[in-house]
């Protein structure tokens, strides 16, 4: 199988590359990434020589139609997985323009390129699949009860979520209007290695290690459903290989936690692992709430479990400890992604060679 995967230098995309190349020795993967502030080529530096032989990296924008046409012309892709996105809610609140450009228009450009390459006379080449990696945030916010199912109406409440919902609508339109064999996955909050330290868990780990305040928005009672990133990757692979075209699959961890409770557990593990007495709840600071902050997300993952046999394998306690250990062993990674040092290294050592 030959895949085009976008956003491979980001958090989930890089984990997906490792997951796929480790699991399938016959798989060949082309990774496309613009290397924005959130994308780091170094995230892919742990590929084994065999995996590296089956992987090629292209720096580029999913909005670059000429580049997409060139890639689809060079390679007979059987699958496309689109992770490329602007992904941080707080940045979208500050300025949504690039969210619309990448998440909505970029998805459209990719769909057009796949449709053009896979159309064959009146039909479609057999066995192709486009997977759009979306989010539970497109469903909006839940009250105290209930879960998002695939039938829940789309009701995004912040510009990031709205841009992802817009992309989902275009993917579904390409399926219904043209028959493009596309699936959408909508996942809850991921955690694990290689997550950019602006998101809750890696940000709190970094601040605590530096004895800096931990900013908890509002009362900290907002609820998220946390899923270990490799469990998400397994789900995406199943949808790619066996998902029914036109279908949406929700993916969740059955693991709801209030933000404040999550931060307390994180501090407990981090305190134990480091033996640092300064790491404790005294670092927590309640700060102004995020505008339009969604109160609760929770996923009903019954459909993907029933149809594709998927369920999360990583329990939160183990996953959190594993994640904290990774960040402790990779403290220089955190500083380098923040400073942009990895990007400068990429530009000096790789980009010039083409
Ligand atoms: P991320 O921000 O860590 O990575 C995004 C990657 O996309 C980066 O490598 C970036 O360089 C690349 N990119 C951005 N704009 C691009 C463009 N125009 N062309 C090519 N590449 C571009 O994001 P993530 O957390 O890995 O999320 C990946 C996908 O999963 C996103 O679509 C996101 O909406 C979705 N998702 C994330 C979560 C989560 O908890 N992180 C949960 C559900 C869904
Ligand atoms: P985040 O990791 O940004 O993911 P999302 O907004 O996609 O759910 O935030 C997770 C939760 O943590 C969310 O309720 C906002 C909250 N949060 C804080 O309280 N403080 C912070 O500094 C950040 C980044 C997030």
């Amino acid at each position: 199988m030959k895949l085009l995967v976008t956003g491979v230098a980001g958090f989930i995309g890089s984990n997906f590359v490792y997951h796929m190349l480790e699991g399938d020795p016959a798989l060949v993967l082309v990774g496309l990434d613009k290397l924005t502030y959130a994308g780091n080529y170094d995230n892919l530096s742990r590929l084994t020589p065999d995996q590296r032989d089956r992987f090629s990296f292209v720096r580029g924008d999913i909005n670059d139609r000429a580049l997409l046409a060139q890639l689809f012309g060079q390679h007979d892709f059987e699958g496309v997985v689109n992770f490329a996105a602007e992904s941080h809610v707080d940045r979208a609140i500050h300025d949504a323009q690039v969210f619309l450009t990448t998440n909505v228009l970029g998805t459209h450009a990719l769909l057009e390129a796949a449709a053009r390459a896979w159309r064959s006379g009146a039909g479609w080449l057999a066995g192709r699949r486009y997977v759009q990696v979306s989010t539970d945030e497109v469903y909006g916010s839940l009250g105290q009860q209930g879960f998002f199912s695939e039938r829940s109406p789309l009701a995004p409440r912040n510009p990031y979520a709205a841009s992802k919902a817009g992309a989902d609508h275009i993917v579904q339109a390409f399926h219904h209007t043209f028959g493009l064999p596309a699936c959408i996955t909508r996942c809850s909050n991921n955690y694990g290695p290689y997550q950019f330290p602006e998101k809750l868990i890696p940000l709190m780990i970094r601040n605590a290690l530096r004895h800096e305040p931990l900013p908890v928005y509002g009362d900290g009672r907002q609820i998220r459903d946390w899923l270990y990133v490799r469990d998400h990757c397994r789900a995406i692979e199943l949808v790619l290989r066996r998902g029914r075209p036109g279908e949406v699959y929700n993916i969740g961890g059955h693991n709801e936690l209030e933000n404040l409770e999550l931060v307390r557990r994180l501090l407990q593990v981090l305190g134990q692992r480091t033996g640092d007495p300064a790491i404790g709840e005294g670092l927590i600071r309640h700060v102004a709430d995020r505008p339009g902050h969604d109160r609760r997300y929770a996923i009903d993952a019954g459909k993907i479990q029933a149809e594709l046999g998927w369920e999360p394998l990583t329990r939160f306690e183990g996953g959190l400890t594993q994640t904290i250990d990774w960040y402790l062993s990779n403290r220089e990674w955190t500083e380098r992604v923040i400073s942009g040092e990895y990007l400068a290294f990429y530009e000096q050592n790789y980009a010039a060679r083409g």
Side-chain angles (χ1 to χ4, degrees):
M1 193 187 212
K2 193 179 243 190
L3 291 183
L4 174 63
V5 182
T6 70
V8 286
F11 165 44
I12 309 175
S14 56
N15 277 284
F16 185 73
V17 170
Y18 288 109
H19 167 80
M20 292 302 290
L21 291 174
E22 278 163 20
D24 181 349
L27 188 95
V28 174
L29 200 153
V30 176
L32 173 65
D33 199 295
K34 187 177 176 183
L35 296 182
T36 67
Y37 79 95
N40 294 285
Y41 185 65
D42 184 80
N43 291 3
L44 301 159
S45 65
R46 289 164 171 89
L47 292 172
T48 63
D50 161 62
Q51 292 164 0
R52 192 153 287 286
D53 284 347
R54 295 181 285 120
F55 175 72
S56 45
F57 179 77
V58 178
R59 185 181 189 185
D61 192 322
I62 55 168
N63 270 300
D64 184 341
R65 286 180 152 74
L67 174 63
L68 293 177
Q70 187 191 325
L71 289 175
F72 276 94
Q74 275 171 353
H75 305 277
D76 182 17
F77 295 121
E78 289 163 83
V80 174
V81 184
N82 184 23
F83 291 97
E86 290 293 332
S87 67
H88 192 42
V89 173
D90 294 328
R91 286 180 188 255
I93 292 168
H94 180 67
D95 184 358
Q97 182 64 51
V98 70
F99 285 74
L100 300 178
T101 306
T102 287
N103 300 2
V104 183
L105 299 179
T107 296
H108 179 232
L110 195 57
L111 287 165
E112 274 195 342
R116 201 162 287 139
W118 292 349
R119 230 178 247 138
S120 163
W124 292 86
L125 297 178
R128 313 289 150 143
R129 196 69 88 248
Y130 175 102
V131 178
Q132 175 73 7
V133 180
S134 185
T135 167
D136 59 357
E137 302 201 22
V138 297
Y139 296 122
S141 185
L142 287 166
Q144 300 247 315
Q145 307 290 319
F147 298 91
F148 296 130
S149 86
E150 290 80 359
R151 289 178 308 284
S152 301
L154 298 198
R157 291 163 26 109
N158 65 59
Y160 161 69
S163 70
K164 294 295 289 185
D168 286 10
H169 283 308
I170 296 168
V171 173
Q172 281 175 322
F174 264 69
H175 173 72
H176 290 293
T177 310
F178 308 116
L180 183 81
C183 295
I184 296 172
T185 60
R186 296 190 182 132
C187 189
S188 59
N189 286 61
N190 284 216
Y191 68 99
Y194 301 112
Q195 187 168 30
F196 194 84
E198 64 186 350
K199 304 282 168 62
L200 182 70
I201 290 181
L203 177 83
M204 295 296 171
I205 295 173
R206 176 172 188 260
N207 284 16
L209 288 172
R210 294 158 63 96
H211 305 161
E212 288 173 1
L214 310 186
V216 169
Y217 297 160
D219 63 4
R221 306 287 303 275
Q222 304 82 6
I223 292 174
R224 297 292 182 265
D225 172 1
W226 294 92
L227 178 72
Y228 191 64
V229 62
R230 285 295 190 110
D231 279 328
H232 185 192
C233 293
R234 279 192 304 108
I236 294 169
E237 179 182 5
L238 283 170
V239 172
L240 175 70
R241 293 187 190 274
R242 302 201 342 248
R244 285 184 293 133
E247 293 295 316
V248 173
Y249 294 91
N250 282 358
I251 304 165
H254 307 302
N255 182 45
E256 289 183 51
L257 270 180
E258 287 186 353
N259 291 340
L260 200 51
E261 173 61 17
L262 187 156
V263 173
R264 287 192 178 123
R265 289 197 201 180
L266 182 151
L267 285 168
Q268 210 174 19
V269 178
L270 201 55
Q272 281 163 4
R273 295 311 242 203
T274 58
D276 181 346
I279 293 180
E281 292 184 21
L283 292 171
I284 294 175
R285 296 282 183 284
H286 287 272
V287 298
D289 208 352
R290 171 186 278 174
H293 199 169
D294 288 336
R295 197 69 184 165
R296 175 170 168 256
Y297 302 144
I299 281 279
D300 171 357
K303 177 174 170 180
I304 190 168
Q305 183 172 10
E307 275 191 26
L308 304 178
W310 177 88
E311 53 186 3
L313 296 179
T314 308
R315 295 177 67 87
F316 186 69
E317 291 67 27
L320 182 64
T321 304
Q322 235 174 287
T323 301
I324 287 174
D325 285 345
W326 189 88
Y327 283 95
L328 283 173
S329 308
N330 292 277
R331 287 182 74 166
E332 77 294 347
W333 177 91
T334 300
E335 299 314 314
R336 285 183 184 152
V337 295
I338 289 175
S339 70
E341 201 177 309
Y342 280 139
L343 183 57
F345 182 81
Y346 173 84
E347 282 170 346
Q348 278 159 23
N349 292 280
Y350 297 97
R353 286 186 228 149

